[in-house]
Amino acid sequence: DQQVKQNSPSLSVQEGRISILNCDYTNSMFDYFLWYKKYPAEGPTFLISISSIKDKNEDGRFTVFLNKSAKHLSLHIVPSQPGDSAVYFCAASGFGNEKLTFGTGTRLTIIP
Amino acid sequence: NAGVTQTPKFRVLKTGQSMTLLCAQDMNHEYMYWYRQDPGMGLRLIHYSVGEGTTAKGEVPDGYNVSRLKKQNFLLGLESAAPSQTSVYFCASSYHGSYEQYFGPGTRLTVT
């Protein structure tokens, strides 16, 4: 049972445009969400996170939106740059839970 | 700081052989984790540890054992490797109370 779902395995976006990556979850106990970025042959690196008490968090070109009623979050990258080409994983955790549940990832390709 | 390091980077095993993967972190993190990454499956938690001398099962623990004898090290053992254990293995660590996990570069294991 996949509790965190990333239904788009891949996404291609023109350089300079907005990239929108989506993530859905089923477990209503999740209250903290993270996005990780992964380059080939490297480990994932933390990108941005959001707590369930917020509906938006921004960090430079990256913004994460959380819609609790729909159990949906999205990552917006504006403007998209070639260095953003990577696999992006969504992850979730419940309060006081030391474990993360990851989605299956979305491969983002930025076209120059 | 080296962060999280993993040894070895690559390994090929024959079915039935055993091996140990070593993870080390120099950030004084309390929590450590072992994941496997397979195509289309995302990152799945194998085992984790919330402190020296403690371990717990994750989502896919069968066929693996772990030990945390020192705070900075977390070992993952395969007693009798199977082709289904062909995967990329990632170690991660985090502070107590933090959701953000720091990942190592990964070990690519092939079992023939």
Side-chain angles (χ1 to χ4, degrees):
Chain A
D1 177 32
Q2 193 77 23
Q3 297 187 67
V4 178
K5 302 177 186 179
Q6 294 177 256
N7 292 318
S8 299
S10 62
L11 176 68
S12 293
V13 175
Q14 208 77 31
E15 182 179 357
R17 307 293 289 268
I18 183 171
S19 295
I20 300 176
L21 293 90
N22 294 303
C23 178
D24 297 293
Y25 61 97
T26 57
N27 189 337
S28 57
M29 299 301 290
F30 288 150
D31 67 353
Y32 199 86
F33 304 88
L34 306 89
W35 284 93
Y36 278 81
K37 177 178 180 178
K38 184 184 179 305
Y39 291 121
E42 294 184 12
T45 55
F46 170 74
L47 190 57
I48 192 169
S49 63
I50 188 166
S51 162
S52 62
I53 62 173
K54 293 185 173 183
D55 54 17
K56 177 183 174 182
N57 188 28
E58 272 184 276
D59 184 1
R61 296 186 298 114
F62 303 92
T63 303
V64 56
F65 295 92
L66 175 62
N67 182 333
K68 289 185 289 294
S69 60
K71 294 191 176 68
H72 176 83
L73 63 155
S74 60
L75 174 68
H76 293 211
I77 306 173
V78 184
S80 300
Q81 299 175 353
D84 297 329
S85 294
V87 176
Y88 290 79
F89 290 100
C90 170
S93 186
F95 178 74
N97 189 338
E98 59 277 354
K99 296 181 290 184
L100 293 178
T101 301
F102 283 85
T104 52
T106 296
R107 181 179 301 278
L108 175 65
T109 302
I110 305 302
I111 305 163
Chain B
N1 279 358
V4 180
T5 58
Q6 292 183 231
T7 309
K9 287 185 169 45
F10 303 93
R11 185 74 188 266
V12 178
L13 286 179
K14 291 189 190 316
T15 297
Q17 287 184 321
S18 63
M19 79 163 293
T20 300
L21 281 67
L22 170 64
C23 175
Q25 52 95 5
D26 61 2
M27 296 174 282
N28 204 32
H29 286 167
E30 291 84 7
Y31 295 173
M32 296 187 76
Y33 309 82
W34 276 108
Y35 292 90
R36 59 179 289 173
Q37 186 196 2
D38 302 291
M41 302 292 287
L43 290 154
R44 293 183 293 168
L45 183 64
I46 304 171
H47 286 281
Y48 65 104
S49 167
V50 299
E52 184 177 320
T54 72
T55 62
K57 293 181 180 179
E59 182 186 352
V60 289
D62 294 342
Y64 305 95
N65 57 75
V66 288
S67 64
R68 183 106 182 263
L69 298 179
K70 293 183 180 181
K71 185 178 184 179
Q72 64 268 33
N73 294 340
F74 195 28
L75 278 63
L76 178 71
L78 287 72
E79 291 184 347
S80 179
S84 61
Q85 294 177 304
T86 292
S87 188
V88 181
Y89 291 86
F90 290 100
C91 176
S93 67
S94 67
Y95 288 112
H96 168 69
S98 172
Y99 293 103
E100 184 181 339
Q101 296 181 12
Y102 295 77
F103 283 81
T107 294
R108 182 174 293 275
L109 175 66
T110 302
V111 183
T112 61

